[in-house]
Amino acid sequence: MTAVSKLQYGDRFGEEVIKIARGSLSVASSSSEAEVASAKYSRWFNGEDATPEPMATSSRKFRKITANMAVSEVAAATKENLSILGDDASDLFTSKLPAGHKMRRTVRPSLLHGFPYLGTCKFGEVVTERGQDKYAVTQMFIANFDGDLDTADGANFYKPASRDFGQMFYSVHILVDRFGNPLGFDRDRGENGIAFKTKDVTKALYSIASASTGLSIEALQKRAAAKKTAR
């Protein structure tokens, strides 16, 4: 199993979770939503969903989701498993970054409101500017769903494309006070505060490497090409 496959979520966390969708426990709040959830799990486990999904490596590391769990237990297990996913993402990207990079490990999972099986995990951050009263920070995340991000005031930041499992990497620019408390998105940077959003691990790596070294993506790609030619 390759290092990248460690980030695949579907096969990794809870082989019996299909029973939740087929049984009496609903992961949603209504019968119509439960039908959507059931279809989601079916596509996931039968390999019919073309979206690359997070996959497992070590059964010793994760908490399985079983059919007799309450929704709150599913949420708790998902949060634990997202932490593992964040750890593996941090390990993978850190191992590929150039020497002297400034990304620090910060693993912090969170769930989407109303979706106990979907969430994100912050796995790294880079302080890009230090002011007298506030710092500019770029934070990196992995999510077990696909969707859009909205940094507008009053908007829901996460806009899932569906209730299906998926995978994306993204990064945001934020401002924090000198104690580390968030002050809001730094919308003057990136695209309204969004540094990048991609499903592609390689694109995510170059974006993270650029943020953590100060080098442009083009310069990093030239370095990589030169190394490949020299072999």
Side-chain angles (χ1 to χ4, degrees), residues 130-215:
R130 299 176 185 271
Q132 184 175 358
D133 298 320
K134 59 186 178 182
Y135 299 156
V137 180
T138 302
Q139 299 180 330
M140 292 75 175
F141 297 80
I142 183 172
N144 71 344
F145 63 93
D146 186 28
D148 292 321
L149 308 172
D150 189 347
T151 63
D153 288 333
N156 290 327
F157 178 60
Y158 297 113
K159 297 183 179 298
S162 70
R163 292 179 172 86
D164 290 351
F165 286 103
Q167 177 173 294
M168 66 176 180
F169 304 94
Y170 67 93
S171 177
V172 295
H173 300 297
I174 68 166
L175 297 172
V176 301
D177 65 21
R178 58 194 184 92
F179 301 107
N181 300 310
L183 300 174
F185 292 107
D186 188 356
R187 296 187 184 89
D188 293 333
R189 303 179 62 208
E191 187 174 341
N192 293 321
I194 306 298
F196 73 85
K197 180 178 75 73
T198 183
K199 296 181 182 181
D200 190 303
V201 175
T202 301
K203 289 181 179 179
L205 174 60
Y206 276 115
S207 296
I208 292 170
S210 178
S212 62
T213 63
L215 298 172

